[in-house]
Amino acid sequence: MKRMMSRAAGHPWLEIIRRQLPLALLTILIVALAVPGAMLVAPALTGQRPNPEGTDSTAPAWQQVPRDLSLPQGISPLKDSAPVPWPDTLAAQLNATLKADGGGSFTGVVQDAATGQVLFDRGGSEGRVPASNMKLLTAAAALRAIGPDQRFSTKVVSGAEPGSVVLTGGGDVLLGAGESSQDAVMGHAGLATLARLTVKSLQENGVTGPVQVRLDDSLFTGPALNPTWSLDDVAAGETAPLFPLALNSARYDPAVTTGPRPQDAAMAAAEAFSAQLTAAAAAAGLSVTPGVERAKAPASGTVLAEVQSATLRQQVDLMLQTSDNYLAEVLGRLAAVASGQPGSNDGATATVYKQVQDLGIPADGLRVADVSGLSLGNQVSASQLAEIVRAITSGTEPGLRAAIGGFPVAGLTGTLGNRYTDASTERGAGLVRAKTGTLNSVIALSGYVVDADGRLLVFSFIGNGLDPGAAGNRTALDRTASALASCGCR
């Protein structure tokens, strides 16, 4: 901000704007920096590229460090004529920053998004524990298998016994306890709305006796926990037993994203629905029998009420931005169901593996033990992750573009919101868009950036065997990605 002021002081009209419209200017600046990555790289992603023009050696305004942007200049389209970094020059910069703090090592790959040319490769084919970078594979698999605009329904169906209703989970684990909120992702579908619609249908059907609530959560099968997960991670709330319906992504409170989770999220949601139904029924002169039991909805049952989730693309955005393990695992199981596989751990991992293969990405050494990245049994190479990012940003399947907005933006959003704030990394603030990944001795960062010359680059850096808690490892990743953002490596 001080640099902005000093620059404004040299130009009277800028000083006037700075004094009169500080809040408006700040708002415009934030919006300009937070424009979804899809807008930033849209011409490269859609294939609608401008005619080649001469290369401008001056970095465009949108590529500058955020605090140096005195006035928004808009987004310049990518050019075919933008130079590709020289690999040797790029390697010299990245090798200087990509160093482990203590034990362990980093592998990494950088590619030109348009051509696939590998510009930097340090052990890129080596299988590594990817931590939450695994969610990039899951996002791509779910979008391919399900479709970005698909929604998941939570229904109330008439039960086999007179007066009984069956709450049936269809994969929405972002249910809210109150009324549906159409502008939200978490809580897009609300149990209070579902209860109110249910009572209306019961009245229309002439139901007068006590109503008994049942729960059908049979969409998912097999163990509710992945056997490769640490029970300590489960106890700490990193994830929870998986069900096809839950409140707040299996959290007690949507605003509290740490600590223990419900161990039977489906029953917790059913009991919350029963409470909402009781209140709505009382106002209509009906009663609800206390208690909820599990029972499969009859095939001949009538749908009494239904609420639908946010779209898959919105859920993928949330999953990537917040690195939600529970949501990732649920989306993996839903992808399996959509592919004709069981909605189980094995179904999810098999589906993600196959979807990666079907994208044409070599699966040599790929091991999928879970689909959220909590498992130490996962093995993914930096090359495979970079190719996934390239498929999302620049591949031939438009449906994968739905994941672009989910990449956290350095210094602004999601799991990168509080990073890229010091002098060694600020060059990447507002520019680097990447998925984070952290386990005890693992750290990873995979994403994309438009460099100072206007070239779209994709990258993946993975550290394994690191000293737990060594702060320099995160800094090494952020400095390396920042070097890419500011690169005019020719």
Side-chain angles (χ1 to χ4, degrees):
M1 184 62 70
K2 290 181 180 178
R3 290 178 62 183
M4 289 175 61
M5 292 180 180
S6 64
R7 289 176 57 181
H11 300 279
W13 61 273
L14 283 178
E15 178 63 21
I16 293 172
I17 291 175
R18 184 187 67 77
R19 286 188 286 104
Q20 294 183 351
L21 299 174
L23 293 178
L25 179 57
L26 180 58
T27 301
I28 293 171
L29 174 57
I30 292 174
V31 171
L33 293 175
V35 168
M39 292 179 61
L40 179 64
V41 298
L45 304 182
T46 62
Q48 299 174 350
R49 303 176 187 273
N51 292 328
E53 302 176 6
T55 301
D56 183 359
S57 60
T58 302
W62 52 263
Q63 179 63 35
Q64 297 176 30
V65 175
R67 69 181 185 181
D68 289 341
L69 278 172
S70 57
L71 286 175
Q73 302 295 325
I75 301 299
S76 301
L78 300 183
K79 303 185 182 80
D80 281 335
S81 58
V84 178
W86 284 103
D88 289 348
T89 306
L90 181 62
Q93 292 200 22
L94 302 192
N95 284 328
T97 56
L98 195 61
K99 297 178 179 179
D101 180 4
S105 63
F106 283 103
T107 60
V109 165
V110 178
Q111 289 180 269
D112 176 51
T115 65
Q117 178 186 353
V118 176
L119 306 174
F120 174 79
D121 187 340
R122 183 200 289 179
S125 62
E126 177 185 330
R128 297 218 131 188
V129 180
S132 282
N133 277 204
M134 196 74 193
K135 293 181 177 72
L136 292 173
L137 279 67
T138 303
L143 289 168
R144 294 187 86 242
I146 301 170
D149 297 319
Q150 182 65 42
R151 299 177 187 269
F152 309 112
S153 294
T154 304
K155 301 177 181 178
V156 176
V157 179
S158 58
E161 306 92 359
S164 66
V165 297
V166 185
L167 177 66
T168 306
D172 187 1
V173 297
L174 303 180
L175 291 165
E179 295 288 340
S180 297
S181 178
Q182 296 303 305
D183 295 328
V185 179
M186 185 86 73
H188 187 89
L191 294 182
T193 300
L194 186 63
R196 177 169 46 79
L197 295 174
T198 301
V199 169
K200 181 180 178 182
S201 289
L202 290 173
Q203 288 180 302
E204 291 172 351
N205 292 336
V207 175
T208 59
V211 178
Q212 175 67 58
V213 178
R214 311 290 191 205
L215 168 64
D216 184 349
D217 57 359
S218 61
L219 182 64
F220 291 171
T221 58
L225 289 174
N226 189 307
T228 68
W229 288 338
S230 164
L231 293 181
D232 290 338
D233 285 340
V234 177
E238 294 295 332
T239 191
L242 295 162
F243 297 92
L245 76 163
L247 287 166
N248 313 316
S249 194
R251 290 287 188 191
Y252 292 108
D253 184 335
V256 180
T257 57
T258 58
R261 298 174 181 251
Q263 295 304 290
D264 191 339
M267 185 58 72
E271 290 170 348
F273 170 74
S274 180
Q276 293 285 7
L277 188 65
T278 299
L286 296 175
S287 62
V288 175
T289 303
V292 180
E293 298 178 359
R294 280 184 164 88
K296 194 162 185 178
S300 59
T302 301
V303 176
L304 302 174
E306 177 181 2
V307 288
Q308 291 193 321
S309 71
T311 63
L312 177 63
R313 73 171 69 230
Q314 293 173 307
Q315 296 198 41
V316 165
D317 276 2
L318 180 64
M319 183 261 290
L320 294 177
Q321 285 281 337
T322 63
S323 202
D324 190 320
N325 294 317
Y326 194 89
L327 181 57
E329 292 291 337
V330 167
L331 294 183
R333 290 192 178 206
L334 291 173
V337 172
S339 302
Q341 299 297 315
S344 63
N345 290 313
D346 290 344
T349 55
T351 297
V352 169
Y353 185 94
K354 185 177 187 304
Q355 290 291 343
V356 171
Q357 284 186 311
D358 290 349
L359 272 172
I361 297 174
D364 299 344
L366 177 64
R367 288 170 51 193
V368 184
D370 75 2
V371 299
S372 61
L374 269 179
S375 175
L376 294 174
N378 292 313
Q379 289 284 294
V380 188
S381 69
S383 177
Q384 289 163 338
L385 282 166
E387 285 289 354
I388 285 287
V389 178
R390 183 169 173 249
I392 291 170
T393 61
S394 313
T396 59
E397 299 188 18
L400 293 183
R401 303 287 185 272
I404 289 176
F407 285 79
V409 180
L412 291 175
T413 65
T415 55
L416 286 182
N418 61 354
R419 291 165 61 168
Y420 295 79
T421 58
D422 60 36
S424 69
T425 61
E426 64 183 5
R427 292 177 300 168
L431 303 175
V432 173
R433 290 161 163 82
K435 179 71 194 77
T436 58
T438 306
L439 291 172
N440 196 35
S441 59
V442 177
I443 191 168
L445 192 71
S446 299
Y448 64 95
V449 67
V450 178
D451 73 7
D453 289 327
R455 198 77 188 185
L456 177 63
L457 308 176
V458 299
F459 63 87
S460 177
F461 306 119
I462 311 172
N464 275 194
L466 305 174
D467 291 347
N473 291 317
R474 175 180 288 186
T475 301
L477 283 184
D478 293 348
R479 290 179 62 195
T480 303
S482 296
L484 282 179
S486 58
C487 183
C489 303
R490 290 175 284 163

